[in-house]
Amino acid sequence: MNPDVVDVIPLANYCLLVTFKTGERKSFDVKPYLQYPAFQKLTKPGFFEKAHVEYGTVVWDDNTDLSPDSLFLEGVNEELSQKESL
């Protein structure tokens, strides 16, 4: 079982900066999910920015959520992504 999410910061271009209970921080690209009907609401102006943490994962006001496992396994380690951009 992967760790719970404790903090999320919505970033530009439909990305999230996610902090896990272990202290690990990962960036997660939501763009591939936007093609699915359940996630299309996130493209409405101002809606994506309402991401917050409930029950150990990222959710939005209408109960759209992302699996903490997906966030952890598919997220890019923040330290690695910063080094790769140098």
Side-chain angles (χ1 to χ4, degrees):
M1 184 172 177
N2 292 305
D4 284 347
V5 175
V6 295
D7 189 45
V8 63
I9 300 171
L11 304 173
N13 207 21
Y14 298 103
C15 289
L16 300 170
L17 180 58
V18 182
T19 304
F20 295 90
K21 192 172 184 177
T22 59
E24 293 172 88
R25 295 176 75 191
K26 297 189 178 198
S27 58
F28 185 85
D29 186 358
V30 180
K31 286 187 297 297
Y33 291 78
L34 298 177
Q35 65 181 324
Y36 300 107
F39 293 98
Q40 288 178 353
K41 291 180 183 179
L42 301 181
T43 63
K44 291 182 180 180
F47 196 83
F48 182 78
E49 292 76 16
K50 294 181 181 181
H52 60 280
V53 177
E54 282 186 24
Y55 307 109
T57 196
V58 176
V59 300
W60 285 266
D61 291 343
D62 73 341
N63 294 323
T64 300
D65 63 5
L66 290 163
S67 162
D69 292 332
S70 295
L71 293 165
F72 189 80
L73 296 172
E74 297 174 25
V76 176
N77 186 298
E78 185 60 18
E79 289 74 24
L80 290 178
S81 65
Q82 288 178 359
K83 289 178 185 176
E84 290 171 359
S85 65
L86 296 177

